């Protein structure tokens, strides 16, 4: 029998039966859920020009979309309205516990945490997303309906809204604080608020070939691996108009070699670690010496909000390196423990590892601090 509800999250079952395959409701995944933010915090973020926010409302039978930065809420918060703010994890560190239960999916797959606040009766309409999402219910309650993938009629009641019509729900559930609905890409869904509600959407990314090709093009543009076609000792051809499969294969092979190069592995890893985290460089750069002294004095450092580093262990053709928001930091085998501590996202201080921190580690930490990716830990 199909099961669309789990009492708790058994990771192996979830991965083998649900992830990318079918939606599921996980009741009470978060026990005693406490919202780390509220609608006022969201409204504050929505006023900032660098933050992607919008208000979607259904007022007097007409859909409206107001893109942020939002200055006058009274004008747009009419009828049944939802305020949605993208990338909240990059601005408010306190939301990170919401991502924690899903860390069995690698960091690079995670895109961002979108948070929405919706009034009674509000929703953004039935739609289909291209990405996996865990919808974590915060305060209030919501009715979620999820249907099967299919060829649905697309409707655009507003130029910025793509909705679909007429899906039959296979899940129809009312969620309460701490409940989670997982929706794979391509499954239609619709959430209607029952009681003024906060929804935390843990959204994933899945690069398409165009995005991968952009990474390749950027690498080649730098000159790395950008070789030109050659054809010495070509055999003669009676009709010059014909193209041989040999030439086509040689051209493909040329590109395949670039794809298989270490340079492209590095380019991919940089792209995979790219999070669009704004760089907030320090006004006055910290010197390596100053960071080393502070570190030796027991001062701790933590990643800035939303920073999720990636790590490669130097095996099987991968570099031994830490990747942060598109930058690569190589390290030696002896430094592994320190770099693992950095990548853990936890507080890092002089007592984290048995060995003394190396020059490479302190140099990396200094760069990360100067770029605003790591900051001083304040209790
Ligand atoms: C919402 O939070 O209202 C929309 C989330 C979604 O359907 O992806
Ligand atoms: Co959606």
């Amino acid at each position: 029998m199909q099961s669309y509800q789990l009492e708790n999250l058994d990771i192996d079952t979830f991965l083998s039966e649900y992830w990318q395959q079918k939606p599921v409701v996980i009741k009470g995944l978060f026990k005693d859920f406490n919202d780390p933010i509220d609608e006022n915090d969201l409204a504050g973020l929505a006023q900032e020009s660098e933050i992607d926010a919008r208000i979607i409302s259904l007022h007097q039978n007409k859909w409206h979309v107001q893109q942020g930065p939002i200055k006058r809420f009274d004008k747009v918060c009419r009828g049944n309205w939802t305020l949605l703010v993208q990338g909240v994890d990059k601005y408010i560190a306190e939301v990170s516990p919401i991502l924690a239960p899903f860390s069995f999916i690698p960091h690079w797959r995670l895109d961002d945490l979108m948070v929405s606040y919706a009034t009674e009766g509000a929703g953004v309409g039935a739609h289909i997303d291209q990405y996996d999402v865990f919808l974590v219910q915060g305060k209030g309650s919501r009715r979620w309906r999820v249907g099967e993938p299919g060829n649905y009629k697309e409707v655009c009641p507003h130029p910025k809204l793509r909705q679909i019509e007429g899906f039959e729900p296979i899940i129809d559930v009312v969620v309460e604080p701490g409940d989670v609905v997982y929706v794979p890409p391509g499954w239609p869904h619709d959430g209607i608020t029952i009681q003024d509600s906060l929804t935390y959407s843990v959204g994933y990314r899945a690069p398409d070939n165009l995005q991968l090709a952009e990474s390749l093009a950027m690498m080649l543009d730098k000159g790395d691996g950008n070789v030109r076609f050659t054809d010495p000792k070509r055999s003669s051809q009676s009709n010059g108009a014909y193209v041989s499969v040999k030439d086509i294969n040689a051209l493909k092979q040329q590109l395949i070699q670039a794809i298989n190069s270490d340079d492209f592995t590095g380019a991919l890893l940089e792209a995979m670690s790219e999070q669009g985290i704004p760089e907030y460089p320090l006004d006055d750069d910290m010197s390596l010496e100053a960071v080393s002294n502070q570190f030796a004095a027991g001062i701790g450092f933590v990643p800035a909000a939303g920073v999720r580093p990636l790590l490669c262990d130097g095996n099987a053709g991968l570099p031994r390196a830490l990747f942060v928001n598109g930058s690569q930091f190589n390290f030696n085998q002896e430094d592994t423990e320190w770099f693992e501590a950095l990548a853990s996202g936890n507080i890092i201080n002089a007592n984290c590892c048995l060995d003394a921190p190396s020059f490479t580690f302190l140099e990396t930490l200094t760069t990360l601090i100067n770029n605003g990716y790591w900051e001083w830990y304040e209790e």
Side-chain angles (χ1 to χ4, degrees), residues 333-366:
Q333 171 118 46
E334 307 80 76
D335 290 332
T336 301
E337 209 186 343
W338 278 107
F339 277 78
E340 279 181 354
L342 261 185
S344 71
N346 298 328
I347 308 157
I348 184 144
N349 62 29
N351 303 322
C352 281
C353 305
L354 286 175
D355 291 337
S358 69
F359 176 83
T360 311
F361 166 78
L362 290 167
E363 201 183 33
T364 303
L365 182 60
T366 305

Side-chain angles (χ1 to χ4, degrees), residues 114 124-125 127-129 131 133 135 144 183 187 189-190 201:
M114 179 184 81
V124 300
H127 65 278
I128 291 176
D129 294 318
Y131 306 101
V133 66
L135 300 157
W144 278 103
V183 184
W187 292 66
H189 52 285
D190 190 13
S201 299

Side-chain angles (χ1 to χ4, degrees), residues 215-228 258 261 263:
S215 293
L216 184 65
M218 266 160 58
M219 173 194 95
L220 299 172
D221 195 44
K222 282 196 286 177
D224 298 334
N226 194 18
V227 298
R228 198 172 285 282
S261 68
D263 283 331

